Amino acid sequence: MRDLAGATVILTRAVADNAPLEAVLRARGAAVLELPCVAVRPLADDRVLRGALRELRGTDALVVTSRAGVDAVVRALAGAPLDAPLAVVGPATAAAARQTGLVPSFVASRPDGAMLGRELPLPRGVVLLARSDQAGDELPAILRQRGASLREVVAYRTETPTGRDLSAARALLADGEAIACFASASAVDGFIELVGDDLAAVVRPVAFGPKTAARIRARLRREPVVAASPGPRAVARAIARALGEVANGARR
C-alpha cells in the first residue's frame, strides 16, 4: 500500500525516536523531513536526582515517562541497583528500560501519562516521579487525587534546538500543504519557535494524543488529526487522513 505517495511529512521528534514511524511512512510512499523541535539535555548537576534514587526502598515506586527519563535514571544510578519497582508510561519506554538492564514492574495499558496515573498500583511508600523540567501537571495531579505520597524530581531538561538549517522545512511550509507530526506539547512550542508563527500556522498537524492536540489548538489555532495511539501504524493512518483533508481543501 502506497497511499502516502507524493506526500512529505515533517517529523518533529528527535531523530533517534523516528525510525519505526519513518520506516512505515516510506513503505507507504511518503518522503520524510526530520525537523527535531525538542532537544533533551542532561542535568548539569544531578545531585538531587541521585539522592532521591538512593532513598528509594522496596515499598516505594519510581515512575518514568520517557526514554530520556530512563537514560537520566541510569546515569544517576551509575551502576548502583534500583531498589524500588519501576513503572513506565508505555511499551517504548519499557523497551528502553530493559535495554539498560532495568525491568519495569508496571507498564500502563496505553502510553499516556493520564492513563499511567489512573492505573498505577500505589505503593505503601513514596511515588518518585522523574521527568523533564517542562513536563505537564496532569500526571502528578491524578496521583495526588488518588492519595499517593508523591515526590517530583527533574531528571533532564527539554529545550528547543538551535542552529539548524530550516530552509527545506520553510520551503515545504510555504507551499501550504505540509503535514507535521507532533508527539508532545513541547514539540509544538519548539516548532513555532523554529519556523515562526506565520509558517507554523499553515501546517496540517497530526497529534500523537489528546494533550498534544490541546496544545496544537491553543498555539496553532488549528484542529489536528489525532492518532488513535502513538504506534507507527496508527500515526500513519492519521497522516493519511490529514493528507486526504489537504487534498480535499486543494480541490475546493
Side-chain angles (χ1 to χ4, degrees):
M1 177 171 60
R2 296 181 63 82
D3 57 330
L4 301 180
T8 300
V9 181
I10 300 173
L11 302 182
T12 61
R13 290 189 297 182
V15 172
D17 294 330
N18 286 332
L21 176 58
E22 183 176 358
V24 171
L25 295 180
R26 291 194 187 281
R28 294 174 67 160
V32 170
L33 176 61
E34 294 189 288
L35 180 67
C37 295
V38 176
V40 172
R41 309 294 186 202
L43 298 177
D45 183 346
D46 68 352
R47 283 177 293 180
V48 173
L49 175 61
R50 283 188 280 122
L53 292 171
R54 282 198 302 268
E55 293 172 5
L56 288 173
R57 297 295 179 264
T59 54
D60 302 320
L62 172 64
V63 174
V64 178
T65 59
S66 68
R67 180 167 62 183
V70 169
D71 292 341
V73 165
V74 170
R75 282 194 300 270
L77 287 172
L82 176 62
D83 292 329
L86 173 65
V88 298
V89 72
T93 306
R98 293 187 186 100
Q99 288 174 357
T100 70
L102 298 177
V103 180
S105 61
F106 176 78
V107 182
S109 64
R110 190 176 70 226
D112 174 80
M115 185 64 70
L116 174 60
R118 289 191 289 267
E119 293 182 344
L120 179 70
L122 296 184
R124 296 197 307 275
V126 171
V127 175
L128 178 63
L129 183 55
R131 303 187 298 163
S132 163
D133 62 328
Q134 300 297 319
D137 298 331
E138 185 177 29
L139 172 55
I142 291 172
L143 290 172
R144 288 192 177 97
Q145 288 169 2
R146 293 183 58 205
S149 177
L150 183 65
R151 180 179 180 185
E152 297 183 71
V153 62
V154 173
Y156 59 93
R157 302 201 179 281
T158 303
E159 303 171 356
T160 302
T162 57
R164 294 191 57 83
D165 180 4
L166 301 175
S167 56
R170 285 176 172 150
L172 183 64
L173 289 164
D175 284 342
E177 296 182 1
I179 295 172
C181 294
F182 298 98
S184 67
S186 297
V188 178
D189 296 340
F191 181 75
I192 296 169
E193 185 174 338
L194 285 172
V195 305
D197 291 325
D198 290 344
L199 286 177
V202 302
V203 77
R204 186 68 184 96
V206 172
F208 279 39
K211 288 187 294 184
T212 305
R215 184 63 65 93
I216 288 169
R217 295 183 189 103
R219 294 296 314 275
L220 297 178
R221 304 297 181 187
R222 303 209 62 176
E223 184 60 34
V225 176
V226 184
S229 79
R233 299 190 193 289
V235 174
R237 287 193 292 271
I239 291 168
R241 295 201 306 274
L243 182 61
E245 291 178 9
V246 168
N248 290 336
R251 284 194 290 269
R252 286 196 297 269

